[in-house]
Amino acid sequence: MIERERRFLVASLPEPLPDPARIVQGYLVTHPVSVRVRRIDDRLILTIKTGSGLAPTEIERDLEPDEFDALWAEANELQIEKR
């Protein structure tokens, strides 16, 4: 999957907001190409991100649990948890 990411400013947040997903992610490489592994609830994802500005390119692929675990062990210098 190739995704074009865009960001928008909004005047106010819509109500009600959905419950947030729990996200943990770790970066394997951050420059010049960003390579990240991410768990969103039960989904395991490998993301490769290139470019910058208004339309960076993201390529994502689902991972098997053993693939995620192996890559997560390598992303030990930059790991983030967010909602």
Side-chain angles (χ1 to χ4, degrees), residues 2-68:
I2 296 177
E3 173 184 321
R4 297 285 183 189
E5 182 176 305
R6 298 197 183 250
R7 297 182 182 132
F8 301 92
L9 294 176
V10 295
S12 62
L13 295 176
E15 292 292 333
L17 291 174
D19 291 334
R22 180 175 181 266
I23 301 171
V24 293
Q25 63 188 35
Y27 288 85
L28 301 166
V29 178
T30 58
H31 187 74
V33 173
S34 176
V35 179
R36 138 185 110 204
V37 290
R38 176 184 270 182
R39 179 191 315 261
I40 302 175
D41 294 329
D42 294 327
R43 186 169 176 220
L44 308 173
I45 308 161
L46 172 71
T47 304
I48 301 169
K49 188 182 234 183
T50 62
S52 62
L54 293 176
T57 299
E58 286 189 21
I59 299 171
E60 292 187 343
R61 146 173 133 62
D62 289 333
L63 294 172
E64 296 296 323
D66 59 331
E67 294 173 319
F68 178 86

